[in-house]
Amino acid sequence: MEEALKLPAFHQYYFKNVSTTSSGILSMSNIAIYKDDRPLLLDQNTGYDLRAIPTWDIDRIEVHFAPTSTIVKNSSAIVVKLISVPIKEQPFSLSATIVNTSASDSHISTQVSLSNKVHTGKIGLNRSFETALYADPEDRGTAISALERYDLNFIYKYKILRSVDLTIGGDNSVLKTQNRGELIDGTTRVRDINQDLRKHTLFGTISSALSKNHTLSLNGLIHRYKNGLTTLDKDLSNAKEQQFNGPSSIFSTAYDQGYMQLLLVAKNQILNYTIGLEINNIKDNLLPSIKAIASEYSDYSVVGLFEYQLKNSFKLEGGTKILTNSLTGTYFMPQAKLTLAPNKDLQLVGSFHKSISYPRFGDIFYPSEMRGGIENSLLLKPTDINTFNFKVVVQKENIRLQSGILFVDQTKTPQTTRFNTIENSGESRSTSTYASLVLGNKIWNIRPSIIIHGTNYLRDTSRLTFFYPEANIYAQLQVPQTKLSFSTSSRFVGSRTYSYFHEGVIHIEEQEKFNNVSLSVSYLFNSDRLKVYFGINNLRNVNFIASNTYQLYDIDREQIGERRITANKNRSFFFKASFQL
């Protein structure tokens, strides 16, 4: 999932095998991820490892800015929707995919489905192995550790009546990695971290068409997640190892979540509306209570949205969600979106969305000895997020151009004070000015985009706003009268600067610019059942980039650190074969 999120506006960096993923203006704690309208990222505040979310069974990914949606449980400035491969409406279907790279990465997956007018089912299996990227060719330390994963997904749909449908399914993943440490100076010892991550999700939906225009659905989900981490102290001279539990050791995490949603959807010709209820509970499965306090919380939501459209020239969407959290109280979250189309080629869109983002689970519950001496706060409130999105869309026969600005204002952001306590004192303001073009026909397609990010993560303390550019180009050519196609994907991210608050002092981080260019060619065989790909990832082999840290003194600054972070994996050739029956 981390690699899949290398989409326009998303960035990912590794340092000592720990990844940081953001949208450029927001961290993952402000972004919601859903698969087929089911929440996948728990509550974004649990330190969720994105590698737990597989992409081998995904048909497409959609990214929505400031969405007007009922599925958004809390964080909603940006929503990532994963849509799985649909089940074919035929008695039997089989698909298999094999991917291998020159870096010795391999992915093997298969899906089998059965379908008739009453019963439909699909089961899928996946096994993946990814090689490590070493921080230094002369050292054993890994910048990105090797990974082995196994996935088992299934789904079953039963048409009980003509108007009543039942769906049940599950997603299961097991990942194992080993972060190999560098030699400790002056010794023959190393410190490795073994990871055993397990994710199990069971979901179900029952829906009924109450009338021609009204549908009632009940959705439920049970999610269990455990990220088991073990630090091992090894002596390479005699191959002895023992578990390390010192002050710099890391801790495992484990959570259980239950989620239920009841929705009534009405679709009429002019006025549509949706009303519903949501219930969610999440608890720490590893530390169910800390100092006699249960480490869990619940939230309850009521949602009401409407959509009014007048011909093709005017569309108004709006509504609100009222959420009550068992720890911190009730929140009113309105949303609105207006679309104007003066003519068939032009659209003007403006939207506003108020949402919240929960503070980190550990900041609320975990004791100071687990958090480097920082005290927790049971009364820590969520961050308030106000999102505005304004854009212009011009669309003609073979051209679609859109340009706009995404503005995100956050208040009550949790910050650590110089007294090692946490309080809701932070503020930030960020913008993304973007423009994208889709140009093409049945033979060729070009999609360039450019984004100028502007970030001010410390608006309460500093008025410093940092800007950096990003450009993305995707192009595809279908050779006429053949089944041969070529494609390329390129991205260029300028030098990125951001600020943060640490122990009462403003720090500035500057990251070097980087790029990633990939090429591929594909061909269809055997009545379009077999598709073969060949290509190269990270053509220019840009992987490590410099990142410098400065401490700010009024208008002056002093460099206090420098490091190398990982922006891309090494250049590699890949071969992929996909077969469908």
Side-chain angles (χ1 to χ4, degrees), residues 28 31-33 39-46 48 50 53 223:
M28 284 308 302
I31 299 170
I33 299 181
L40 277 188
L41 198 56
L42 296 179
D43 281 348
Q44 295 92 19
N45 60 346
T46 56
Y48 202 84
L50 289 179
I53 301 176
H223 188 129

Side-chain angles (χ1 to χ4, degrees), residues 4 178-179 220 242 249 290 305 308 349 352 359 391 532 555 559:
Q178 184 184 65
N179 178 19
Q242 62 182 1
S249 61
I290 300 173
L305 298 176
Y308 173 76
V349 183
F352 164 74
K391 66 178 180 179
V532 174
I555 60 173
Q559 183 172 347

Side-chain angles (χ1 to χ4, degrees), residues 467-469 493-497 510-514:
F467 295 91
Y468 66 98
V493 178
S495 300
R496 181 186 181 215
T497 303
E510 290 186 351
Q511 296 174 351
E512 188 180 6
K513 62 183 179 181
F514 73 93

Side-chain angles (χ1 to χ4, degrees), residues 34 60 111 127-128 131 139 193 273 287 293 325 343 370 468 485 537:
Y34 292 81
R60 69 183 191 276
Q111 296 189 75
R127 189 268 183 185
S128 297
T131 53
D139 204 321
I193 300 174
Y273 64 86
L287 300 168
I293 297 175
N325 180 267
N343 56 60
M370 292 180 61
Y468 66 98
S485 64
N537 287 323

Side-chain angles (χ1 to χ4, degrees), residues 326-337:
S326 61
L327 293 178
T328 57
T330 300
Y331 302 88
F332 179 73
M333 297 182 286
Q335 51 187 295
K337 182 178 181 181

Side-chain angles (χ1 to χ4, degrees), residues 476 483-487 520-524 531-534:
Q476 185 176 33
K483 296 183 179 181
L484 180 68
S485 64
F486 298 88
S487 64
S520 70
V521 57
S522 65
Y523 193 85
L524 283 168
K531 191 171 187 178
V532 174
Y533 303 78
F534 179 77

Side-chain angles (χ1 to χ4, degrees), residues 392-520:
V392 178
V393 182
V394 178
Q395 186 164 352
K396 292 184 177 292
E397 183 178 358
N398 296 319
I399 300 175
R400 177 182 172 87
L401 170 67
Q402 67 172 344
S403 179
I405 183 169
L406 176 68
F407 176 85
V408 180
D409 183 76
Q410 299 185 71
T411 58
K412 296 191 221 174
T413 304
Q415 281 192 347
T416 304
T417 70
R418 64 183 63 202
F419 305 106
N420 283 336
T421 60
I422 299 183
E423 58 183 29
N424 292 104
S425 59
E427 299 179 28
S428 68
R429 181 173 291 169
S430 305
T431 60
S432 283
T433 306
Y434 58 90
S436 66
L437 176 68
V438 178
L439 181 65
N441 52 35
K442 293 182 179 180
I443 297 176
W444 55 274
N445 185 283
I446 301 176
R447 286 185 279 169
S449 66
I450 186 168
I451 305 173
I452 305 297
H453 298 283
T455 61
N456 182 346
Y457 292 127
L458 298 176
R459 185 161 60 93
D460 57 312
T461 306
S462 167
R463 298 299 172 183
L464 295 174
T465 299
F466 302 101
F467 295 91
Y468 66 98
E470 172 190 348
N472 298 270
I473 302 175
Y474 173 80
Q476 185 176 33
L477 172 65
Q478 180 71 46
V479 180
Q481 309 301 320
T482 73
K483 296 183 179 181
L484 180 68
S485 64
F486 298 88
S487 64
T488 178
S489 177
S490 307
R491 85 176 316 196
F492 306 88
V493 178
S495 300
R496 181 186 181 215
T497 303
Y498 64 93
S499 56
Y500 60 93
F501 207 60
H502 180 63
E503 294 182 350
V505 179
I506 299 176
H507 290 73
I508 295 176
E509 189 89 6
E510 290 186 351
Q511 296 174 351
E512 188 180 6
K513 62 183 179 181
F514 73 93
N515 62 74
N516 189 323
V517 179
S518 299
L519 305 171
S520 70

Side-chain angles (χ1 to χ4, degrees), residues 213-494:
N213 300 322
H214 296 79
T215 302
L216 182 68
S217 62
L218 177 66
N219 307 294
L221 176 147
I222 299 173
H223 188 129
R224 170 160 281 199
Y225 169 87
K226 182 176 182 180
N227 190 8
L229 301 170
T230 305
T231 304
L232 297 176
D233 212 339
K234 296 183 178 180
D235 192 330
L236 299 182
S237 64
N238 54 24
K240 291 183 178 180
E241 65 179 33
Q242 62 182 1
Q243 186 168 336
F244 175 75
N245 296 309
S248 61
S249 61
I250 58 177
F251 298 90
S252 301
T253 56
Y255 301 96
D256 285 346
Q257 181 191 34
Y259 173 76
M260 185 170 291
Q261 180 192 68
L262 179 66
L263 280 184
L264 174 64
V265 179
K267 293 189 176 294
N268 304 296
Q269 291 184 346
I270 298 178
L271 179 64
N272 303 326
Y273 64 86
T274 300
I275 56 175
L277 303 170
E278 288 180 331
I279 302 173
N280 174 74
N281 176 266
I282 182 169
K283 67 176 182 178
D284 194 312
N285 197 35
L286 195 67
L287 300 168
S289 64
I290 300 173
K291 296 181 180 179
I293 297 175
S295 51
E296 68 176 303
Y297 59 78
S298 303
D299 50 47
Y300 314 90
S301 302
V302 178
V303 63
L305 298 176
F306 73 91
E307 177 186 300
Y308 173 76
Q309 183 163 340
L310 180 61
K311 296 183 179 180
N312 293 321
S313 59
F314 176 88
K315 185 177 181 180
L316 178 64
E317 303 167 73
T320 188
K321 174 170 286 191
I322 302 174
L323 181 147
T324 298
N325 180 267
S326 61
L327 293 178
T328 57
T330 300
Y331 302 88
F332 179 73
M333 297 182 286
Q335 51 187 295
K337 182 178 181 181
L338 176 63
T339 304
L340 299 176
N343 56 60
K344 64 178 182 179
D345 299 330
L346 176 65
Q347 278 191 1
L348 306 173
V349 183
S351 65
F352 164 74
H353 201 146
K354 184 177 180 61
S355 57
I356 62 172
S357 173
Y358 288 140
R360 290 183 301 179
F361 213 89
D363 290 348
I364 303 173
F365 297 108
Y366 292 174
S368 59
E369 54 264 29
M370 292 180 61
R371 298 162 24 81
I374 300 173
E375 297 293 332
N376 63 28
S377 175
L378 284 172
L379 301 179
L380 201 60
K381 295 183 178 296
T383 298
D384 286 334
I385 306 175
N386 295 300
T387 307
F388 300 85
N389 189 24
F390 304 97
K391 66 178 180 179
V392 178
V393 182
V394 178
Q395 186 164 352
K396 292 184 177 292
E397 183 178 358
N398 296 319
I399 300 175
R400 177 182 172 87
L401 170 67
Q402 67 172 344
S403 179
I405 183 169
L406 176 68
F407 176 85
V408 180
D409 183 76
Q410 299 185 71
T411 58
K412 296 191 221 174
T413 304
Q415 281 192 347
T416 304
T417 70
R418 64 183 63 202
F419 305 106
N420 283 336
T421 60
I422 299 183
E423 58 183 29
N424 292 104
S425 59
E427 299 179 28
S428 68
R429 181 173 291 169
S430 305
T431 60
S432 283
T433 306
Y434 58 90
S436 66
L437 176 68
V438 178
L439 181 65
N441 52 35
K442 293 182 179 180
I443 297 176
W444 55 274
N445 185 283
I446 301 176
R447 286 185 279 169
S449 66
I450 186 168
I451 305 173
I452 305 297
H453 298 283
T455 61
N456 182 346
Y457 292 127
L458 298 176
R459 185 161 60 93
D460 57 312
T461 306
S462 167
R463 298 299 172 183
L464 295 174
T465 299
F466 302 101
F467 295 91
Y468 66 98
E470 172 190 348
N472 298 270
I473 302 175
Y474 173 80
Q476 185 176 33
L477 172 65
Q478 180 71 46
V479 180
Q481 309 301 320
T482 73
K483 296 183 179 181
L484 180 68
S485 64
F486 298 88
S487 64
T488 178
S489 177
S490 307
R491 85 176 316 196
F492 306 88
V493 178

